[in-house]
Amino acid sequence: MSPAAMAGWAAVAVAGGLGWSMLALARGEEISAAWMVAAALGTYAIAYRFYSRFIATRVLRVDKNRATPAERLDNGVDFHPTDRRVLFGHHFAAVAGAGPLVGPVLAAQMGYLPGTIWIIVGVIFAGAVQDMVTLFFSTRRNGRSLGQMARDEIGPFGGAAALIAVFAIMIILLAVLALVIVNALAHSPWGVFSIGMTIPIAFFMGFYLRILRPGRVTEVSVIGVLLLLLAIVAGGWVAESSWADTFTLSPGALVIWMVVYGFVASVLPVWMLLAPRDYLSTFMKIGTIVLLAIGVLVATPTLKMPAVTDFAARGDGPVFAGSLFPFVFVTIACGALSGFHSLVASGTTPKMIQKETQVRMVGYGAMLTESFVAVMAMIAACIIDPGLFFAVNSPSGMIGSTVESASAAVANFGFTISPQELAAAAEAVEEDSLLSRTGGAPTFALGMSEIFSAVVGGSAMKAFWYHFAIMFEALFILTTLDAGTRVGRFMLQDTLGNLYKPFRQVSWTPGVWFTSAVVVGAWGYFLWVGVHDPLGGINQLFPLFGIANQLLAAVALAVCTTLLVKSGRLRWAWVTGVPLAWDVAVTLTATWQKVFSGDPRVGFFTQRQVYQDGINAGELIAPAKDMGEMRTIVTNSTVDGVLAALFAVLIIVVILDAGRVCYRAIRHPEQIRLHEAPFEQSRIIAPAGLLATAEEKAELAAAEAAARDSGSGDERPEPVGRRA
């Protein structure tokens, strides 16, 4: 490093350290949320510059000369070399769903400090590492899915358990993501119109970049963003027009439309809808979060939630029951470590990446970006009045349905807010009521409206910013659903390919249509159940979502650790082994409590028994309104409990079998067989990061000169990069 670079990185470290000091040492007084932004950005910068580079160069030893499956198997449908900027957008949009918005908001019940520490530290040493390493190993194996890699590298027994667990968990994750979208878009013509318009815009961008103007990424980006902004503004016009009824959909209707969309998005070529739509959505996602961070620095709102609340010790919080360990870590999930990411990193992304050297930017960098989204969600939840936070996020069974009963209930929690203040908060965002708007999305929207209205428009714009935030969250999550459905299709094809080989051809049309229908049908069932659950689908499914997601991360980290050991990188196995040990300890503890706890608010089976006893006694238990709803709760609690136990058993089998394989690889390395694709020289010249280095610019210039000398200088560079 030059002295100037060393001084610059020292300044970044000091800024981050100062932010952490202010967060950790504050005692009783309110501090600015800007310190949380400083702590996060400073830590992310250091981690990306040093730790991710160490993993890429020393641990993985990425090779820019090795052709990726996108280059070797390019078929224009599933395998397609994609510009790194577009691919970063696709990957970030695909992995950043409900988790980083909902999880941190719910975890704010414990205070801002525990969740913030896990979000930032967890992503650096666990979440981003998992995403990057999984992407690397999948790229080396022709884009194989996580379950298939487990079967190939661990063995048929542990691999079969992994295939079943990964696919089943995937279905639950997609159902919960879809449920959050339904809750956000139901009866909202503005949101439905704006989200719907992103589909034809993405089609236009895909054809523009593929056929009309190949390689013009900047050009199509500008057009796409302008069209997106127009769609958002037009959504407000539609909501006030005679078309409002057409775009006002019930939850049941939204379920049907989302199942249809998921199927179509899964079978179309990636360049036509998936990649351009995710890339387009990324502009809005990242742009909004950056503006939110700037708003925090300008408005400097204070963190009104305590650093650590009494609920962290007692475990009897109204938002979710359970102690700080393990439930804060499981609840935050995607903001720090997400097993779902490993499915995308071994699904669509490795089939589209141009160069191995880009796994650092796409894998590690996108996860850091998502973690910052989680930090902003934590800020949004903690800058609003704690009394309002608990009134919004507590179920109606605890706070009642009136502002008077909610005010009294919140007082029992240890916080204060008057009925008049609750009514005024709803009126400010033009909502009839904000009570029991559980699920995290309304709380994030409230905090976002507070920040943006403080910078632009004042209180008169608060309602606009609130509804903009609701629409933003729906768009944020929907892009994960379409990519996730496609990944689920890949996983099912890999699994069925063990029984009937044509399924392994991921673009085989009968297999594509059949597996896509199975995947959307499966998550569509759980979505329908969640929409009609008397206890509230998000309240029932999100705990299972968090456990399933973290158990899936354990599978990914176990596979990565096994591959590090088998490929002769034993000295670096701690990079994935340490986060694996932590994840297993946390998640199995949470699973045990959700299955065996005697508290009906925590244990699925205890909850089932309470309602079953009510049925036997002919007694209705709130919030059920009739015996049909009582039986629904019994059924759903039973299914949740059985699935949680099943997931835990399958993951334990995978980890034990992975340990056996690692032991054998250490003792008898000569017997180890890897399932890597053979080396093939890459002809694509493309930068590894967002900006080309001096060396990469020289390589690109040399490739252009060679093309001119060979008489091909009149040819346009391919949209995926330049070929040598």
Side-chain angles (χ1 to χ4, degrees), residues 130 134 138 143-152 159 162-163 166 339 342-343 345-347 491 494 552-553 555-557 559-560:
Q130 173 210 251
T134 302
S138 180
R144 283 289 192 210
S145 67
L146 176 65
Q148 189 61 38
M149 284 198 295
R151 187 181 186 280
D152 292 342
L163 284 169
V166 170
S342 66
L343 303 183
S346 63
M491 291 165 50
D494 272 347
L552 184 55
V555 174
L557 290 169
V559 171
C560 290

PDB file of all heavy atoms in Angstrom, residues 130 134 138 143-152 159 162-163 166 339 342-343 345-347 491 494 552-553 555-557 559-560:
ATOM      1  N   GLN A 130     -20.313 -17.547   3.395  1.00  0.00           N
ATOM      2  CA  GLN A 130     -21.116 -18.641   2.838  1.00  0.00           C
ATOM      3  C   GLN A 130     -21.480 -18.370   1.385  1.00  0.00           C
ATOM      4  O   GLN A 130     -21.320 -19.232   0.511  1.00  0.00           O
ATOM      5  CB  GLN A 130     -22.394 -18.813   3.654  1.00  0.00           C
ATOM      6  CG  GLN A 130     -23.359 -19.810   3.042  1.00  0.00           C
ATOM      7  CD  GLN A 130     -24.808 -19.489   3.351  1.00  0.00           C
ATOM      8  OE1 GLN A 130     -25.421 -20.202   4.126  1.00  0.00           O
ATOM      9  NE2 GLN A 130     -25.355 -18.447   2.756  1.00  0.00           N
ATOM     10  N   THR A 134     -19.840 -20.719  -1.557  1.00  0.00           N
ATOM     11  CA  THR A 134     -20.803 -21.567  -2.265  1.00  0.00           C
ATOM     12  C   THR A 134     -20.820 -21.243  -3.754  1.00  0.00           C
ATOM     13  O   THR A 134     -20.843 -22.148  -4.597  1.00  0.00           O
ATOM     14  CB  THR A 134     -22.211 -21.376  -1.680  1.00  0.00           C
ATOM     15  OG1 THR A 134     -22.204 -21.680  -0.284  1.00  0.00           O
ATOM     16  CG2 THR A 134     -23.213 -22.283  -2.379  1.00  0.00           C
ATOM     17  N   SER A 138     -19.833 -23.972  -6.658  1.00  0.00           N
ATOM     18  CA  SER A 138     -20.854 -24.305  -7.644  1.00  0.00           C
ATOM     19  C   SER A 138     -20.382 -23.963  -9.049  1.00  0.00           C
ATOM     20  O   SER A 138     -20.635 -24.716 -10.003  1.00  0.00           O
ATOM     21  CB  SER A 138     -22.159 -23.567  -7.333  1.00  0.00           C
ATOM     22  OG  SER A 138     -23.153 -23.872  -8.280  1.00  0.00           O
ATOM     23  N   GLY A 143     -22.351 -25.171 -12.136  1.00  0.00           N
ATOM     24  CA  GLY A 143     -23.544 -24.554 -11.568  1.00  0.00           C
ATOM     25  C   GLY A 143     -24.447 -25.527 -10.843  1.00  0.00           C
ATOM     26  O   GLY A 143     -25.658 -25.296 -10.744  1.00  0.00           O
ATOM     27  N   ARG A 144     -23.887 -26.601 -10.291  1.00  0.00           N
ATOM     28  CA  ARG A 144     -24.682 -27.584  -9.565  1.00  0.00           C
ATOM     29  C   ARG A 144     -25.382 -26.946  -8.367  1.00  0.00           C
ATOM     30  O   ARG A 144     -24.848 -26.048  -7.720  1.00  0.00           O
ATOM     31  CB  ARG A 144     -23.805 -28.725  -9.069  1.00  0.00           C
ATOM     32  CG  ARG A 144     -23.418 -29.714 -10.133  1.00  0.00           C
ATOM     33  CD  ARG A 144     -24.611 -30.541 -10.561  1.00  0.00           C
ATOM     34  NE  ARG A 144     -24.225 -31.687 -11.378  1.00  0.00           N
ATOM     35  CZ  ARG A 144     -24.984 -32.203 -12.299  1.00  0.00           C
ATOM     36  NH1 ARG A 144     -26.182 -31.696 -12.535  1.00  0.00           N
ATOM     37  NH2 ARG A 144     -24.596 -33.234 -12.992  1.00  0.00           N
ATOM     38  N   SER A 145     -26.583 -27.442  -8.056  1.00  0.00           N
ATOM     39  CA  SER A 145     -27.321 -26.943  -6.900  1.00  0.00           C
ATOM     40  C   SER A 145     -26.660 -27.415  -5.615  1.00  0.00           C
ATOM     41  O   SER A 145     -25.871 -28.368  -5.600  1.00  0.00           O
ATOM     42  CB  SER A 145     -28.765 -27.436  -6.943  1.00  0.00           C
ATOM     43  OG  SER A 145     -28.816 -28.839  -6.756  1.00  0.00           O
ATOM     44  N   LEU A 146     -27.006 -26.765  -4.508  1.00  0.00           N
ATOM     45  CA  LEU A 146     -26.427 -27.112  -3.214  1.00  0.00           C
ATOM     46  C   LEU A 146     -26.721 -28.562  -2.853  1.00  0.00           C
ATOM     47  O   LEU A 146     -25.826 -29.296  -2.404  1.00  0.00           O
ATOM     48  CB  LEU A 146     -26.991 -26.174  -2.132  1.00  0.00           C
ATOM     49  CG  LEU A 146     -26.562 -26.472  -0.696  1.00  0.00           C
ATOM     50  CD1 LEU A 146     -25.067 -26.274  -0.537  1.00  0.00           C
ATOM     51  CD2 LEU A 146     -27.328 -25.593   0.282  1.00  0.00           C
ATOM     52  N   GLY A 147     -27.953 -29.001  -3.039  1.00  0.00           N
ATOM     53  CA  GLY A 147     -28.301 -30.370  -2.699  1.00  0.00           C
ATOM     54  C   GLY A 147     -27.536 -31.387  -3.513  1.00  0.00           C
ATOM     55  O   GLY A 147     -27.080 -32.411  -2.991  1.00  0.00           O
ATOM     56  N   GLN A 148     -27.368 -31.104  -4.811  1.00  0.00           N
ATOM     57  CA  GLN A 148     -26.635 -32.035  -5.664  1.00  0.00           C
ATOM     58  C   GLN A 148     -25.148 -32.043  -5.309  1.00  0.00           C
ATOM     59  O   GLN A 148     -24.504 -33.091  -5.352  1.00  0.00           O
ATOM     60  CB  GLN A 148     -26.828 -31.671  -7.137  1.00  0.00           C
ATOM     61  CG  GLN A 148     -26.288 -32.716  -8.101  1.00  0.00           C
ATOM     62  CD  GLN A 148     -26.977 -34.062  -7.945  1.00  0.00           C
ATOM     63  OE1 GLN A 148     -28.179 -34.127  -7.724  1.00  0.00           O
ATOM     64  NE2 GLN A 148     -26.217 -35.143  -8.042  1.00  0.00           N
ATOM     65  N   MET A 149     -24.582 -30.876  -4.962  1.00  0.00           N
ATOM     66  CA  MET A 149     -23.183 -30.847  -4.526  1.00  0.00           C
ATOM     67  C   MET A 149     -23.012 -31.681  -3.264  1.00  0.00           C
ATOM     68  O   MET A 149     -22.006 -32.382  -3.101  1.00  0.00           O
ATOM     69  CB  MET A 149     -22.725 -29.408  -4.287  1.00  0.00           C
ATOM     70  CG  MET A 149     -22.448 -28.620  -5.546  1.00  0.00           C
ATOM     71  SD  MET A 149     -21.445 -27.138  -5.253  1.00  0.00           S
ATOM     72  CE  MET A 149     -22.545 -26.173  -4.227  1.00  0.00           C
ATOM     73  N   ALA A 150     -23.984 -31.600  -2.348  1.00  0.00           N
ATOM     74  CA  ALA A 150     -23.907 -32.403  -1.131  1.00  0.00           C
ATOM     75  C   ALA A 150     -23.920 -33.889  -1.469  1.00  0.00           C
ATOM     76  O   ALA A 150     -23.156 -34.684  -0.896  1.00  0.00           O
ATOM     77  CB  ALA A 150     -25.076 -32.056  -0.209  1.00  0.00           C
ATOM     78  N   ARG A 151     -24.770 -34.279  -2.406  1.00  0.00           N
ATOM     79  CA  ARG A 151     -24.839 -35.691  -2.786  1.00  0.00           C
ATOM     80  C   ARG A 151     -23.549 -36.148  -3.455  1.00  0.00           C
ATOM     81  O   ARG A 151     -23.052 -37.247  -3.197  1.00  0.00           O
ATOM     82  CB  ARG A 151     -26.025 -35.932  -3.721  1.00  0.00           C
ATOM     83  CG  ARG A 151     -26.272 -37.398  -4.044  1.00  0.00           C
ATOM     84  CD  ARG A 151     -27.445 -37.561  -5.003  1.00  0.00           C
ATOM     85  NE  ARG A 151     -27.767 -38.970  -5.194  1.00  0.00           N
ATOM     86  CZ  ARG A 151     -27.111 -39.792  -6.002  1.00  0.00           C
ATOM     87  NH1 ARG A 151     -26.083 -39.328  -6.703  1.00  0.00           N
ATOM     88  NH2 ARG A 151     -27.476 -41.062  -6.121  1.00  0.00           N
ATOM     89  N   ASP A 152     -22.990 -35.299  -4.325  1.00  0.00           N
ATOM     90  CA  ASP A 152     -21.771 -35.666  -5.047  1.00  0.00           C
ATOM     91  C   ASP A 152     -20.560 -35.741  -4.126  1.00  0.00           C
ATOM     92  O   ASP A 152     -19.720 -36.636  -4.262  1.00  0.00           O
ATOM     93  CB  ASP A 152     -21.493 -34.660  -6.169  1.00  0.00           C
ATOM     94  CG  ASP A 152     -22.525 -34.725  -7.289  1.00  0.00           C
ATOM     95  OD1 ASP A 152     -23.236 -35.749  -7.385  1.00  0.00           O
ATOM     96  OD2 ASP A 152     -22.633 -33.742  -8.047  1.00  0.00           O
ATOM     97  N   GLY A 159     -26.095 -36.996   1.318  1.00  0.00           N
ATOM     98  CA  GLY A 159     -26.554 -36.227   0.168  1.00  0.00           C
ATOM     99  C   GLY A 159     -28.050 -36.315  -0.022  1.00  0.00           C
ATOM    100  O   GLY A 159     -28.714 -35.333  -0.344  1.00  0.00           O
ATOM    101  N   ALA A 162     -29.636 -34.159   2.479  1.00  0.00           N
ATOM    102  CA  ALA A 162     -29.483 -32.756   2.089  1.00  0.00           C
ATOM    103  C   ALA A 162     -30.449 -32.381   0.983  1.00  0.00           C
ATOM    104  O   ALA A 162     -31.055 -31.299   1.019  1.00  0.00           O
ATOM    105  CB  ALA A 162     -28.044 -32.488   1.639  1.00  0.00           C
ATOM    106  N   LEU A 163     -30.603 -33.260  -0.016  1.00  0.00           N
ATOM    107  CA  LEU A 163     -31.525 -32.965  -1.114  1.00  0.00           C
ATOM    108  C   LEU A 163     -32.950 -32.774  -0.609  1.00  0.00           C
ATOM    109  O   LEU A 163     -33.647 -31.828  -0.994  1.00  0.00           O
ATOM    110  CB  LEU A 163     -31.484 -34.096  -2.141  1.00  0.00           C
ATOM    111  CG  LEU A 163     -30.258 -34.141  -3.071  1.00  0.00           C
ATOM    112  CD1 LEU A 163     -30.220 -35.457  -3.834  1.00  0.00           C
ATOM    113  CD2 LEU A 163     -30.281 -32.969  -4.037  1.00  0.00           C
ATOM    114  N   VAL A 166     -33.029 -29.508   1.737  1.00  0.00           N
ATOM    115  CA  VAL A 166     -32.859 -28.257   1.003  1.00  0.00           C
ATOM    116  C   VAL A 166     -34.119 -27.917   0.216  1.00  0.00           C
ATOM    117  O   VAL A 166     -34.588 -26.771   0.230  1.00  0.00           O
ATOM    118  CB  VAL A 166     -31.634 -28.348   0.069  1.00  0.00           C
ATOM    119  CG1 VAL A 166     -31.595 -27.163  -0.874  1.00  0.00           C
ATOM    120  CG2 VAL A 166     -30.345 -28.404   0.887  1.00  0.00           C
ATOM    121  N   GLY A 339     -29.430 -19.114   4.668  1.00  0.00           N
ATOM    122  CA  GLY A 339     -29.260 -20.302   3.848  1.00  0.00           C
ATOM    123  C   GLY A 339     -29.867 -20.152   2.472  1.00  0.00           C
ATOM    124  O   GLY A 339     -29.400 -20.763   1.508  1.00  0.00           O
ATOM    125  N   SER A 342     -27.507 -19.396  -0.348  1.00  0.00           N
ATOM    126  CA  SER A 342     -26.699 -20.475  -0.922  1.00  0.00           C
ATOM    127  C   SER A 342     -27.426 -21.153  -2.080  1.00  0.00           C
ATOM    128  O   SER A 342     -26.790 -21.724  -2.965  1.00  0.00           O
ATOM    129  CB  SER A 342     -26.362 -21.509   0.160  1.00  0.00           C
ATOM    130  OG  SER A 342     -27.532 -22.180   0.601  1.00  0.00           O
ATOM    131  N   LEU A 343     -28.761 -21.080  -2.083  1.00  0.00           N
ATOM    132  CA  LEU A 343     -29.520 -21.663  -3.182  1.00  0.00           C
ATOM    133  C   LEU A 343     -29.375 -20.827  -4.446  1.00  0.00           C
ATOM    134  O   LEU A 343     -29.279 -21.363  -5.552  1.00  0.00           O
ATOM    135  CB  LEU A 343     -30.992 -21.781  -2.791  1.00  0.00           C
ATOM    136  CG  LEU A 343     -31.283 -22.585  -1.523  1.00  0.00           C
ATOM    137  CD1 LEU A 343     -32.775 -22.683  -1.282  1.00  0.00           C
ATOM    138  CD2 LEU A 343     -30.656 -23.969  -1.595  1.00  0.00           C
ATOM    139  N   ALA A 345     -26.772 -18.786  -4.928  1.00  0.00           N
ATOM    140  CA  ALA A 345     -25.339 -18.878  -5.244  1.00  0.00           C
ATOM    141  C   ALA A 345     -24.996 -20.211  -5.892  1.00  0.00           C
ATOM    142  O   ALA A 345     -23.909 -20.346  -6.480  1.00  0.00           O
ATOM    143  CB  ALA A 345     -24.506 -18.677  -3.978  1.00  0.00           C
ATOM    144  N   SER A 346     -25.871 -21.203  -5.785  1.00  0.00           N
ATOM    145  CA  SER A 346     -25.664 -22.478  -6.482  1.00  0.00           C
ATOM    146  C   SER A 346     -26.810 -22.746  -7.451  1.00  0.00           C
ATOM    147  O   SER A 346     -27.062 -23.893  -7.824  1.00  0.00           O
ATOM    148  CB  SER A 346     -25.568 -23.624  -5.468  1.00  0.00           C
ATOM    149  OG  SER A 346     -26.779 -23.763  -4.740  1.00  0.00           O
ATOM    150  N   GLY A 347     -27.509 -21.682  -7.848  1.00  0.00           N
ATOM    151  CA  GLY A 347     -28.649 -21.829  -8.751  1.00  0.00           C
ATOM    152  C   GLY A 347     -28.466 -21.026 -10.014  1.00  0.00           C
ATOM    153  O   GLY A 347     -27.815 -21.460 -10.967  1.00  0.00           O
ATOM    154  N   MET A 491     -33.100 -27.269  -8.483  1.00  0.00           N
ATOM    155  CA  MET A 491     -32.878 -28.262  -7.435  1.00  0.00           C
ATOM    156  C   MET A 491     -33.686 -29.530  -7.697  1.00  0.00           C
ATOM    157  O   MET A 491     -33.177 -30.653  -7.569  1.00  0.00           O
ATOM    158  CB  MET A 491     -33.268 -27.674  -6.071  1.00  0.00           C
ATOM    159  CG  MET A 491     -32.348 -26.578  -5.581  1.00  0.00           C
ATOM    160  SD  MET A 491     -33.081 -25.657  -4.217  1.00  0.00           S
ATOM    161  CE  MET A 491     -33.576 -26.965  -3.150  1.00  0.00           C
ATOM    162  N   ASP A 494     -32.190 -31.447 -10.579  1.00  0.00           N
ATOM    163  CA  ASP A 494     -30.991 -32.173 -10.148  1.00  0.00           C
ATOM    164  C   ASP A 494     -31.375 -33.454  -9.414  1.00  0.00           C
ATOM    165  O   ASP A 494     -30.786 -34.521  -9.624  1.00  0.00           O
ATOM    166  CB  ASP A 494     -30.138 -31.287  -9.230  1.00  0.00           C
ATOM    167  CG  ASP A 494     -29.161 -30.429 -10.012  1.00  0.00           C
ATOM    168  OD1 ASP A 494     -28.973 -30.685 -11.205  1.00  0.00           O
ATOM    169  OD2 ASP A 494     -28.591 -29.495  -9.424  1.00  0.00           O
ATOM    170  N   LEU A 552     -30.632 -24.376   6.773  1.00  0.00           N
ATOM    171  CA  LEU A 552     -30.148 -24.460   5.395  1.00  0.00           C
ATOM    172  C   LEU A 552     -28.743 -23.875   5.288  1.00  0.00           C
ATOM    173  O   LEU A 552     -27.895 -24.394   4.547  1.00  0.00           O
ATOM    174  CB  LEU A 552     -31.107 -23.715   4.472  1.00  0.00           C
ATOM    175  CG  LEU A 552     -30.820 -23.774   2.974  1.00  0.00           C
ATOM    176  CD1 LEU A 552     -30.720 -25.203   2.492  1.00  0.00           C
ATOM    177  CD2 LEU A 552     -31.919 -23.038   2.209  1.00  0.00           C
ATOM    178  N   ALA A 553     -28.484 -22.800   6.037  1.00  0.00           N
ATOM    179  CA  ALA A 553     -27.124 -22.241   6.064  1.00  0.00           C
ATOM    180  C   ALA A 553     -26.143 -23.262   6.622  1.00  0.00           C
ATOM    181  O   ALA A 553     -24.982 -23.334   6.176  1.00  0.00           O
ATOM    182  CB  ALA A 553     -27.103 -20.965   6.900  1.00  0.00           C
ATOM    183  N   VAL A 555     -26.308 -26.475   6.212  1.00  0.00           N
ATOM    184  CA  VAL A 555     -26.011 -27.398   5.110  1.00  0.00           C
ATOM    185  C   VAL A 555     -24.966 -26.790   4.183  1.00  0.00           C
ATOM    186  O   VAL A 555     -23.988 -27.443   3.802  1.00  0.00           O
ATOM    187  CB  VAL A 555     -27.294 -27.735   4.324  1.00  0.00           C
ATOM    188  CG1 VAL A 555     -26.958 -28.567   3.090  1.00  0.00           C
ATOM    189  CG2 VAL A 555     -28.280 -28.485   5.200  1.00  0.00           C
ATOM    190  N   ALA A 556     -25.167 -25.524   3.809  1.00  0.00           N
ATOM    191  CA  ALA A 556     -24.238 -24.869   2.885  1.00  0.00           C
ATOM    192  C   ALA A 556     -22.835 -24.788   3.485  1.00  0.00           C
ATOM    193  O   ALA A 556     -21.831 -25.086   2.806  1.00  0.00           O
ATOM    194  CB  ALA A 556     -24.747 -23.468   2.544  1.00  0.00           C
ATOM    195  N   LEU A 557     -22.744 -24.388   4.748  1.00  0.00           N
ATOM    196  CA  LEU A 557     -21.428 -24.273   5.386  1.00  0.00           C
ATOM    197  C   LEU A 557     -20.781 -25.638   5.569  1.00  0.00           C
ATOM    198  O   LEU A 557     -19.551 -25.769   5.478  1.00  0.00           O
ATOM    199  CB  LEU A 557     -21.572 -23.558   6.732  1.00  0.00           C
ATOM    200  CG  LEU A 557     -21.917 -22.068   6.642  1.00  0.00           C
ATOM    201  CD1 LEU A 557     -22.314 -21.517   8.008  1.00  0.00           C
ATOM    202  CD2 LEU A 557     -20.733 -21.271   6.084  1.00  0.00           C
ATOM    203  N   VAL A 559     -21.217 -28.238   3.516  1.00  0.00           N
ATOM    204  CA  VAL A 559     -20.735 -28.617   2.184  1.00  0.00           C
ATOM    205  C   VAL A 559     -19.456 -27.851   1.845  1.00  0.00           C
ATOM    206  O   VAL A 559     -18.479 -28.431   1.335  1.00  0.00           O
ATOM    207  CB  VAL A 559     -21.823 -28.361   1.124  1.00  0.00           C
ATOM    208  CG1 VAL A 559     -21.260 -28.532  -0.281  1.00  0.00           C
ATOM    209  CG2 VAL A 559     -23.005 -29.303   1.326  1.00  0.00           C
ATOM    210  N   CYS A 560     -19.437 -26.549   2.127  1.00  0.00           N
ATOM    211  CA  CYS A 560     -18.245 -25.743   1.832  1.00  0.00           C
ATOM    212  C   CYS A 560     -17.047 -26.204   2.645  1.00  0.00           C
ATOM    213  O   CYS A 560     -15.919 -26.288   2.124  1.00  0.00           O
ATOM    214  CB  CYS A 560     -18.533 -24.269   2.120  1.00  0.00           C
ATOM    215  SG  CYS A 560     -19.685 -23.494   0.957  1.00  0.00           S
TER     216      CYS A 560
END
